[in-house]
Every structure is written in structure tokens, then in C-alpha cells.
Amino acid sequence: KSSFDLNKIFRINSPDKFEHTILSSNERSSLQEKIFDFFTEQIKKHQENLKAGCTTYAKNLSDIFDEFAMNAIWDANTKYKDCDRTQVIKLKPSEQVEISCFSDGYYFILKVKDPFGTFDDKSIGCNMNNTLAATEAKEVNHGTGGAGIGLIMTLQKIGTLVFEIDPQKSTTAYAIAEGTQSIREMQRRKKSILFFKK
């Protein structure tokens, strides 16, 4: 398929949400806190629907946001790919990154969209077995453009990742946590990475 239908996941028509547009790279830290606070509040609000231990998902999703944001600001944009990431970058309107967080009381979803569409889904193939298989770790690509260690670390924190790619236009990354599944259950189960490309 060419697009991911996010709305079909939710059990209610109007999930709670938090949205923000990143205008500068130095917003990452404060946004990470806001995302943590949003999911923490949602987990407390809906705790009667959730498995014990789900509070960890708030921290996990905020950590994944930081990984997604770095990919969207630096890796996706060829202009900044080799820049010093400790230096603040003011993003032009055509470079700004859209953040959305959703909760329906059962699912907790992080969405990060960049305006470049340069994500190469084939580039992660060499690391896919390492990431998804329950075997001893093999060599992982730690360099640029390999989607290696970042992907593996992300999938240790979440069960499902979705990438929606519109080549040269946008890449949207989703991290999906199921609140009716404890962290331990999620870690025991096989992981899913879904790709939708136009």
C-alpha cells in the first residue's frame, strides 16, 4: 500500500493529541519533556484500561522522539547531514518537522514527519535480521545512512514502527505502543516494521 491509515487504529473517533512544529534543533530537549508529560498524563487518565508497567511507555516514546527528530532534522536533509549536531540550526519553513502524539486510552502513538522524503527503506535491509531476530547480535552499521544501531535501540523500546514514504516529499515515522500489553510482553513478542511507499 502507499499510505498508512492511522485513524483505523483508534478505538474512539477523537483521540487526545499533542502537536508541535519544530522550528529549531534546540527544541528537542524541551519537546522530549512535553512528550513524556503528555503520555504520562494519558497513561494515568486511562490506567483502568492498561496493563501494569505501562508507565514505561511514556519514557520510551519520548526517547524515540529524540531519535526520530535527529533523523528528521539532520539525516533527512542533505544540507545538514554532515553538520555538527551540537550547533543550533534554525529551520526554514521548508525544513520544519511536524510532531504529533495521540492517545485513545489503549494505543499511544508518536508521529514525526519531515518534508524531504529521502528515507531509503532498502538501506535497513542489512540490519533487519539483527533487529528482528532473537539471535545473538551481529555487526551493526554505526555510520551514517545505515539505520543500524538507532533502529535496534528503538525497537528495544517499542513493538511497532511504521514508515510512510513519499519520495522527495516527506517521510513520516510512527512509533506505536499498545497499552493493553505490558512492557515485558512487548519485549518478548516479535517486532514489526511496516513500510508504505508512494
Side-chain angles (χ1 to χ4, degrees), residues 27-43:
E27 293 181 62
R28 279 173 41 225
S29 180
S30 62
L31 268 174
Q32 196 170 5
E33 291 180 16
K34 289 177 182 178
I35 288 168
F36 173 79
D37 291 343
F38 171 80
F39 285 118
T40 297
E41 181 182 326
Q42 291 298 313
I43 289 167

Side-chain angles (χ1 to χ4, degrees), residues 66-116:
D66 197 49
E67 178 69 25
F68 281 178
M70 286 193 292
N71 291 342
I73 294 169
W74 285 281
D75 295 323
N77 188 346
T78 54
K79 187 168 83 174
Y80 300 133
K81 198 166 188 176
D82 298 319
C83 288
D84 179 357
R85 299 191 180 192
T86 64
Q87 299 300 309
V88 175
I89 295 173
K90 301 290 185 183
L91 301 177
K92 296 179 180 178
S94 61
E95 300 170 336
Q96 292 167 4
V97 177
E98 298 174 15
I99 310 300
S100 303
C101 301
F102 303 95
S103 165
D104 66 352
Y106 298 89
Y107 289 95
F108 305 99
I109 299 174
L110 168 70
K111 173 185 174 185
V112 177
K113 182 178 182 179
D114 72 57
F116 303 105

